[in-house]
Amino acid sequence: MQAQAEMPVQGAETVEKILVVDDDPGIRDVVSEFLQRHGYQVDTAADGKEMERVLARGAVDLVVLDVMLPGEDGLAICRRLARPEGPSIIMLSAMGEETDRIVGLELGADDYVPKPCNPRELLARVRAVLRRRREPRADDSLDAACEFAGWRLDLVRHELRSPEGAVVNLSSGEFSLLRAFVERPQRVLSRDQLLEYARGPQSDAFDRAIDVQISRLRRKLDDSASGQELIRTVRNEGYIFTPKVSRTP
């Protein structure tokens, strides 16, 4: 099902595009109409197949994605969509358990909203996620990449290359976390600090999500050949990124 998007407000340079994926037609209609009234262009889909047809027509800025979908579930879809160049993702779920939230966030979702949710709360989350997406980083124009222990993290292309030159795939959350580390090397960072640096001060994520994501990042940064531990746990304190980091244009 596709919602008819309102015309952009005259004078606006761009209208951000949102795709609402939910098998409940009532929720699709309420959410899409509310977001349209607040200036967004909105499409809807009932499942993963309809979502793919919408995405085939053009990129979207954000996907509001239900967890419980017929066929391919929302978590599997999130895993496919979560990449630095892909859309931002807000998960919706009637399951409010901490484990479900961790899984969604660690698969690359930018935020997680339990059902039933107030449309105004969802709008606030949408605005916050899209604001972080479009805000330029002050140091992007000065330093295009960081190098450490033979690795290279391209801050513009959101690309990580191993010492052998192979591209290592990172989810958007993993990229943000690694960036937080390389911008603050050889310093002990608490879980709260990492949450703020990686997800922003308004994030309602929690420290266990950081632990899980660091475990995934460690596996991708495995440097067993050199014996160097790039991310070290500091008991009762947090984590430290151990290598020296150099900036390159």
Side-chain angles (χ1 to χ4, degrees):
M1 176 182 294
Q2 179 183 354
Q4 294 296 320
E6 293 183 352
M7 294 297 292
V9 178
Q10 187 174 4
E13 293 183 0
T14 60
V15 176
E16 289 166 309
K17 299 178 182 179
I18 298 174
L19 173 57
V20 178
V21 185
D22 198 303
D23 63 329
D24 186 324
I27 291 177
R28 290 200 305 271
D29 291 345
V30 168
V31 171
S32 62
E33 290 172 7
F34 190 80
L35 293 175
Q36 286 174 6
R37 289 202 304 270
H38 287 84
Y40 297 103
Q41 180 178 327
V42 184
D43 284 318
T44 67
D47 55 28
K49 291 182 179 179
E50 286 191 11
M51 179 198 75
E52 291 298 339
R53 288 196 286 271
V54 174
L55 293 177
R57 297 198 299 266
V60 301
D61 298 294
L62 183 145
V63 176
V64 177
L65 180 62
D66 186 29
V67 170
M68 301 298 291
L69 292 172
E72 186 180 21
D73 66 31
L75 294 177
I77 292 173
C78 178
R79 184 184 293 110
R80 289 197 291 109
L81 294 180
R83 55 190 187 276
E85 70 276 13
S88 299
I89 301 170
I90 295 179
M91 303 293 296
L92 290 180
S93 176
M95 302 181 299
E97 296 296 325
E98 179 180 298
T99 301
D100 300 314
R101 298 178 63 197
I102 290 174
V103 171
L105 292 170
E106 293 317 308
L107 288 176
D110 296 273
D111 208 341
Y112 190 107
V113 181
K115 286 182 174 181
C117 68
N118 185 307
R120 292 188 179 278
E121 178 187 357
L122 178 60
L123 174 64
R125 302 292 187 95
V126 165
R127 285 173 169 168
V129 168
L130 289 175
R131 183 170 58 249
R132 294 198 299 269
R133 178 185 178 91
R134 63 177 175 262
E135 279 179 349
R137 297 292 293 256
D139 54 356
D140 276 353
S141 61
L142 300 177
D143 302 301
C146 294
E147 295 181 349
F148 56 91
W151 295 78
R152 178 180 174 87
L153 182 66
D154 191 312
L155 303 178
V156 175
R157 298 171 63 185
H158 288 205
E159 182 181 85
L160 176 65
R161 287 189 177 271
S162 71
E164 294 74 30
V167 175
V168 178
N169 292 324
L170 297 177
S171 70
S172 59
E174 290 164 351
F175 172 82
S176 297
L177 182 58
L178 181 55
R179 180 169 191 158
F181 275 125
V182 300
E183 289 180 340
R184 302 162 185 86
Q186 301 179 327
R187 289 168 47 188
V188 176
L189 300 174
S190 69
R191 292 171 176 81
D192 287 342
Q193 287 175 313
L194 286 169
L195 281 168
E196 179 172 345
Y197 296 146
R199 297 185 180 274
Q202 304 305 316
S203 171
D204 67 346
F206 38 93
D207 56 8
R208 189 177 168 195
I210 284 291
D211 292 337
V212 175
Q213 199 161 61
I214 284 177
S215 178
R216 291 165 58 92
L217 192 55
R218 276 173 165 160
R219 289 196 296 270
K220 294 185 177 183
L221 290 172
D222 180 30
D223 198 14
S224 54
S226 69
Q228 184 173 11
E229 185 181 21
L230 300 183
I231 302 174
R232 189 172 74 238
T233 301
V234 181
R235 189 172 182 179
N236 299 325
E237 295 291 336
Y239 299 93
I240 184 170
F241 194 66
T242 61
K244 293 182 179 180
V245 176
S246 61
R247 302 290 186 116
T248 61

